């Protein structure tokens, strides 16, 4: 997670951007040993084919990991952060946090969205890039057990260098 800049090649006029939001944190274990928290949602992943202006600098933010729910708290896992490139209208939302364990319910967090993407992957895996990028944290079972955090998202940019 963090911030940075993508500078389009001076000869480029379009780019393919792969963006993934951060994974949501897992839910904590319930008050009895048979109550498991839900897994965090996967960060949204999309491929965006966009026009770029040659030599232009585009700021980006990579979505951070959602925190796992703390043990003994009434909270769910935290949502992952969004990966964005505002100058190119690119957003890959973070996954939602997993629900805390109660009764026999272990609802996972929803996968993040990627509005306007040319192509998306919603299977929970963003290979071949980073097999652990944007993954939701595991929900845990049993009292006093915190949910695992998700993993940070990523952004990869390829431009056409004017070809």
């Amino acid at each position: 997670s963090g911030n940075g800049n993508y500078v389009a090649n001076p000869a480029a006029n379009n780019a393919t951007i792969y963006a993934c939001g951060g994974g949501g944190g897992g839910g904590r274990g319930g008050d009895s040993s048979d109550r498991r928290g839900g897994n965090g949602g996967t960060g949204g992943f999309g491929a965006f084919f966009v026009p770029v202006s040659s030599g232009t600098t585009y700021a980006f933010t990579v979505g951070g990991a959602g925190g796992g729910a703390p043990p003994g708290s009434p909270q769910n896992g935290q949502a992952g952060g969004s990966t964005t490139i505002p100058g190119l209208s690119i957003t890959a939302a973070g996954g939602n946090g997993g629900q805390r364990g109660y009764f026999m319910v272990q609802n996972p967090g929803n996968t993040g969205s990627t509005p306007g993407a040319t192509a998306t992957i919603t299977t929970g895996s963003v290979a071949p890039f980073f097999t652990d990028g944007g993954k939701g944290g595991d929900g845990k079972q049993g009292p006093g057990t915190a949910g695992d955090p998700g993993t940070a998202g990523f952004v990869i940019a390829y431009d056409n260098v004017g070809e």
Side-chain angles (χ1 to χ4, degrees):
S1 63
N3 302 318
N5 292 306
Y6 155 61
V7 180
N9 184 294
N13 58 12
N14 63 54
T16 299
I17 310 288
Y18 297 97
C20 179
R28 69 162 178 88
D31 295 331
S32 68
S33 61
D34 61 345
R35 297 181 184 163
R36 181 178 190 88
N39 292 337
T42 302
F45 173 78
F48 299 81
F49 185 74
V50 293
V52 296
S53 296
S54 62
T56 300
T57 298
Y58 298 97
F60 64 82
T61 299
V62 175
S73 78
Q75 301 169 347
N76 296 329
Q78 297 174 343
S82 293
T83 294
T84 62
I85 307 177
L88 296 175
S89 300
I90 291 173
T91 299
N96 289 336
Q99 191 174 44
R100 66 183 174 88
Y102 69 96
F103 299 108
M104 299 306 284
V105 178
Q106 51 182 312
N107 291 328
N110 294 328
T111 296
S113 62
T114 52
T118 306
T120 61
I121 296 176
T122 57
T123 62
S125 174
V126 292
F129 297 110
F130 300 105
T131 57
D132 62 346
K135 286 180 72 170
D138 289 336
K140 295 299 180 180
Q141 189 163 341
T145 309
D148 287 342
T151 61
F154 62 85
V155 63
I156 300 171
Y158 296 101
D159 55 39
N160 70 335
V161 294
E163 295 176 1

